[in-house]
Amino acid sequence: MWDSIPGPQDHALSQRQTLYTLNHGPTQASQQLDFLNGHLKIKMERCLGSSTDGRPAPPMKGQLRRKAQREKFARRVVLLSQEMDAGLQAWQLRQQEKLQEEERKQKNALKPKGALLQNPQPGQ
């Protein structure tokens, strides 16, 4: 078990192998390592579902579920936003109608006649 944990010797060995490869060209060990890395890459791509020609992997069930939830939430936000806008416009229209009604009542109110027109009292 403890043999699988890389130590400082393993790191130094990999650095020496890298330097040797750079100075003397590829060795059989580095060629095998390249093959294994390529093989590992192909296995990982198969596990992840991507193809070697660059096409993306099909979405997983969890991704599809989260996408559907986000779309449902976005539709709800749009619907509520539209309802709020319609409600706000209706409220503004009612407020405007109330103001017009008040103006109409003031315009049609009974007007004082006679002496009150000529001598307005300070209380009125």
Side-chain angles (χ1 to χ4, degrees):
M1 178 176 149
W2 295 104
D3 296 337
S4 64
I5 299 173
Q9 298 87 6
D10 295 333
H11 183 66
L13 180 63
S14 69
Q15 284 181 339
R16 282 195 301 271
Q17 286 175 342
T18 304
L19 288 175
Y20 182 82
T21 303
L22 291 175
N23 293 333
H24 297 86
T27 62
Q28 184 179 2
S30 67
Q31 289 173 346
Q32 288 176 344
L33 185 62
D34 289 341
F35 171 76
L36 290 175
N37 284 339
H39 185 68
L40 181 62
K41 183 179 177 185
I42 290 171
K43 276 191 165 187
M44 286 180 64
E45 287 175 349
R46 284 184 187 157
C47 290
L48 296 175
S50 63
S51 60
T52 56
D53 61 354
R55 290 179 292 156
M60 295 181 168
K61 288 182 183 179
Q63 289 175 312
L64 294 173
R65 178 182 46 80
R66 288 188 298 273
K67 183 179 178 183
Q69 285 176 342
R70 285 192 302 269
E71 288 174 355
K72 182 179 176 183
F73 182 74
R75 279 191 216 101
R76 183 162 168 77
V77 167
V78 168
L79 178 68
L80 291 174
S81 176
Q82 289 172 346
E83 287 180 7
M84 285 293 294
D85 290 342
L88 185 61
Q89 287 177 351
W91 179 80
Q92 288 174 343
L93 183 62
R94 282 194 305 271
Q95 292 298 104
Q96 213 172 23
E97 288 173 353
K98 282 182 183 179
L99 286 175
Q100 289 174 354
E101 182 68 23
E102 287 293 323
E103 289 173 2
R104 188 184 61 77
K105 282 182 180 179
Q106 286 178 359
K107 181 181 173 186
N108 293 337
L110 295 175
K111 309 242 183 328
K113 293 186 178 182
L116 289 176
L117 278 177
Q118 294 171 358
N119 297 328
Q121 294 178 356
Q124 292 182 349

